[in-house]
Amino acid sequence: MAKMSYGRRLTQLAELDPERPAVTCGESTLTRLQLEERANRLAHDFLERGVEFGDMVTIALPNSTDWYVAMAACWKVGAIPQPVSAKLPARELQAILELADPRLVVGVSEDVTDGRPATPIGYEPQSTDTTPPPDAISPAWKAPTSGGSTGRPKLIVSGDPAQFDEATPGVFGSPTGCMVMPGPLYHNGPLIWSVSALLAGSHVVVLERFDAEETLAAIDTYQADIVYLVPTMMKRIWRLPDETRLGFDLSSLRQIWHLAEPCPDWLKQAWIDWLGPERIFELYGGTEGQAATIITGNDWLAHRGSVGKPAEGTIMICDADGNEVPTGEMGEVWMRSLREKPTYRYVGAQARTREGGWESLGDNGRLDADGFLYLGDRMSDMILSGGTNIYPAEVEAAILEHPDVTSCAVIGLPDADLGNTVHAIVEADEAVLPREALVEFVGERLARYKVPRSVEYTDEPIRDDAGKVRRAALRAERGA
């Protein structure tokens, strides 16, 4: 077994089975050989444009086979791929470009990059050379962005080089497998899962954008063994009519991974009852990678509501004064990597740290006697109302049980008497689900003080396709 660059690994896969599908998106499919040759052409083009070892290359492409070609081209020249949303407003993109200072921006025209070299969507490389460039190992295999709790962008540059180890190919793919990826590729979860599957030799089937029925159809059509989801996707799939949802063959699935946002207990139970606990896996961790927990469906049934035990790194729960709390008590979740080398570095932010190598992402949680972690909300999202802590995720889970609610977000709004009151922003039709009916529904499930005092209806998506919602931005938009 040997270690090799990501670029060399893609070449190796093309040599082993050139006609096996590597990536599919919509009507476009690239075989391993086609991916290899297109990535090599683009890599030579990058070199001609002055991209050098260690340079960042910002990739602003939508979900597509071209996204994987651009990522592979970066690795082949030793550059660091820096993926961002293809839908970023110019101002937000500029803020990221100022941080990344990329040598090249892929997927936009130069008139929005403030003079930085750029190539538009659909760009065809000038180079016709399909041979691999001189082998290189990128010093960081990815550098995704995060808005963070403040809304200011930051880069999270991986501490791992773009190096594949044949001895540990990972758990997200295999030479005969297929992964269905319905999430946006610029987010860290979809990025890690799909790239890991690709490098392991799996056929990666990525949706242009999430659609509940199309996700099930892709699993059925390609007989996928792994699918990546977030709870928002799980809910929309579950709410399909039974005759639609049950009409697809999902027997090929070995692993259903979900992460990125809290999963309500009722929804997780529904999926376990539908597809069996042995197929359901959940992961909790940050892009920073200091630590991560994993829980199987069977373990979840024994530790209902938990996100698992540490699979990487270690976790400690502390109070506001930094003292470790007793088992079962809520506090701030602190993580520590057990690796000698840092798992990441920030550009544009400072980590929240404490002595001993501990870091916090701002989450609240508790550990049970068996070492299983249970999460509350981000500290910055918690609502203090009348001296009582209210966790938005708990209220959201109750609201989402209603069949007429597509999505929701719960925030605190300033109140002269209570300090804050619970405000629900609900993606639903008010004519079908009036405020009084929704409040009554939630009141049957939660204590009175947790029930929203105000409800706001919208027909716009509240969460993105990765299941993310920025409560700080929602509060700011409402003057809170």
Side-chain angles (χ1 to χ4, degrees), residues 4 10 45 74 83 106 135 313 343 348 429 456:
M4 66 189 77
L10 293 173
D45 190 86
C74 287
V106 178
D135 195 31
T343 57
D429 185 344
E456 173 185 343

Side-chain angles (χ1 to χ4, degrees), residues 174-195:
S174 69
T176 59
C178 174
M179 170 179 284
V180 166
M181 174 51 67
L185 295 173
Y186 66 90
H187 269 285
N188 190 59
L191 190 165
I192 289 178
W193 259 252
S194 67
V195 165

Side-chain angles (χ1 to χ4, degrees), residues 51-59 70-71 73-75 77-83 100 102-104 137-144 156-158 160 162 345:
V51 176
E52 298 179 353
F53 179 85
D55 283 344
M56 285 202 186
V57 174
T58 298
I59 300 174
M71 293 286 288
C74 287
W75 298 322
V77 301
I80 302 171
Q82 197 271 300
R103 185 61 61 100
L104 181 67
I137 298 176
S138 303
W141 78 272
K142 63 184 175 78
I156 307 175
V157 184
S158 175
D160 292 323
R345 65 179 173 89

